[in-house]
Amino acid sequence: MVTRCNGGAYSYFSSYTCCYYGSSGNFSCSSPFPLFIVIPYIMNLISLIGIITILLGATLALAQKDIKRSLAYSTMSQLGYTMLALGMGSYRAALFHLITHAYSKALLFLGSGSIIHSMEAIVGYSPDKSQNMVLMGGLTKHVPITKNTFY
């Protein structure tokens, strides 16, 4: 039975764990990279997996209303870019994108946490409503510091 976690420290921990395992999968694919260069078929397969991941992650991120799910699916798309770079033979660019994406996504998750907590003052404590991006209009007066950091 799968339970859905709607808020609190556990949901943040699980989203960070998910990002960690996705990133470690990309890193473990980049470790035997010298062996993959020898076989072009494997490089083509890695590129194909990267392209599919990019398209699937971006499409699913656009279809979400939950802010944390949207960020998670956009992370999936960005990890697809890393796989595509590995499949094209650009080891350094793939690891550079992986590291810079980790820092920027961590800041985005912190910003979304600030927005979610400010939504609780507007809609009350309801994880379904406080994480819904459809209801997040006109938040500038409630989160002025977060607004300034995102500009």
Side-chain angles (χ1 to χ4, degrees), residues 47-71:
S47 295
L48 180 65
I49 290 171
I51 291 171
I52 291 170
T53 307
I54 291 167
L55 294 174
L56 187 66
T59 305
L60 289 172
L62 286 174
Q64 298 302 315
K65 292 182 181 177
D66 189 319
I67 190 167
K68 287 194 297 185
R69 285 186 184 179
S70 179
L71 286 174

Side-chain angles (χ1 to χ4, degrees), residues 110-121:
L110 287 173
S112 71
S114 172
I115 292 172
I116 289 169
H117 286 298
S118 69
M119 284 292 291
E120 290 175 358

Side-chain angles (χ1 to χ4, degrees), residues 31-94:
S31 297
F33 185 72
L35 296 174
F36 293 156
I37 292 177
V38 178
I39 308 168
Y41 172 72
I42 298 295
M43 298 293 280
N44 291 338
L45 181 66
I46 291 173
S47 295
L48 180 65
I49 290 171
I51 291 171
I52 291 170
T53 307
I54 291 167
L55 294 174
L56 187 66
T59 305
L60 289 172
L62 286 174
Q64 298 302 315
K65 292 182 181 177
D66 189 319
I67 190 167
K68 287 194 297 185
R69 285 186 184 179
S70 179
L71 286 174
Y73 281 122
S74 71
T75 298
M76 177 182 158
S77 177
Q78 294 297 315
L79 293 178
Y81 280 113
T82 305
M83 292 298 286
L84 180 61
L86 281 174
M88 290 175 18
S90 182
Y91 177 78
R92 289 182 183 172

Side-chain angles (χ1 to χ4, degrees), residues 87-123:
M88 290 175 18
S90 182
Y91 177 78
R92 289 182 183 172
L95 287 182
F96 177 75
H97 182 69
L98 183 67
I99 292 168
T100 56
H101 174 71
Y103 286 114
S104 64
K105 192 57 74 165
L107 293 174
L108 280 173
F109 267 109
L110 287 173
S112 71
S114 172
I115 292 172
I116 289 169
H117 286 298
S118 69
M119 284 292 291
E120 290 175 358
I122 299 169
V123 296

